[in-house]
Amino acid sequence: MAARDIMMPIPLTGRCQCGQVRYSVAAQPLFTYACHCSDCQKRTGSAFSMGLVVLTDSLQAQGELTSWSRTSEKGNTNTRYSCAGCGNIIYGAGDSNPELAKLQAGTLDDTQALEPELHIWTCKKQGWVSLPPRARTFDTEPESAAQWLQAAADFRAGS
């Protein structure tokens, strides 16, 4: 299988539903993922959520954000940042890797190049959801940042 060219045009830009919050990302995402956990299903009202992991320092948001925190199934604290006007979640950050932000993929201005490189919490996946044969999947989630990055590199290499 050939390597995939998944470079996205930088800066990435996006906004909330009402337009009060806009953001830009000045560096390529480290990887994209789909999360099938029960919490993401409840939060999105869908079968899974999609995110891009970016360096927190590369993300610049303008507009009023509110925040709320929850404890993940692994016991980490995750904080979500939302538009104060419409409530649209823009990104999240966890206490285990505060240098990384999980940007909500659907808030991008251009979503055409998005394809999850990793699928996590597939043990909670809805039965009707089919994953691509080349998808990198995890029953829960990778144990370390190195495992996340290696799985994304393997996907990009087509191996």
Side-chain angles (χ1 to χ4, degrees):
M1 202 179 287
R4 293 192 61 242
D5 180 13
I6 59 169
M7 299 297 278
M8 300 176 81
I10 299 301
L12 300 175
T13 60
R15 65 178 180 82
C16 65
Q17 291 177 14
C18 73
Q20 290 183 35
V21 172
R22 294 205 54 81
Y23 66 84
S24 64
V25 180
Q28 284 292 323
L30 300 176
F31 57 87
T32 60
Y33 68 94
C35 181
H36 300 266
C37 79
S38 300
D39 286 339
C40 282
Q41 290 177 31
K42 285 185 189 324
R43 184 175 53 76
T44 63
S46 187
F48 56 88
S49 68
M50 273 187 62
L52 296 92
V53 174
V54 300
L55 296 173
T56 304
D57 291 345
S58 73
L59 174 62
Q60 298 295 316
Q62 299 84 35
E64 185 181 353
L65 294 168
T66 61
S67 66
W68 57 276
S69 297
R70 68 171 185 84
T71 302
S72 74
E73 293 188 40
K74 290 271 187 172
N76 299 317
T77 299
N78 292 309
T79 302
R80 302 285 185 229
Y81 297 90
S82 306
C83 171
C86 65
N88 197 176
I89 297 172
I90 304 299
Y91 71 97
D95 61 356
S96 61
N97 291 298
E99 70 281 2
L100 302 177
K102 300 171 191 167
L103 186 65
Q104 295 294 267
T107 63
L108 287 170
D109 289 333
D110 182 2
T111 59
Q112 294 301 307
L114 291 176
E115 179 182 354
E117 297 167 270
L118 310 174
H119 288 263
I120 62 173
W121 287 97
T122 58
C123 68
K124 304 281 179 118
K125 178 181 77 61
Q126 295 296 314
W128 55 265
V129 172
S130 297
L131 302 179
R134 71 175 183 275
R136 300 297 182 256
T137 63
F138 295 87
D139 282 345
T140 59
E141 62 186 71
E143 293 296 322
S144 68
Q147 286 180 319
W148 284 93
L149 294 170
Q150 184 60 56
D154 291 347
F155 179 87
R156 291 175 184 183
S159 59

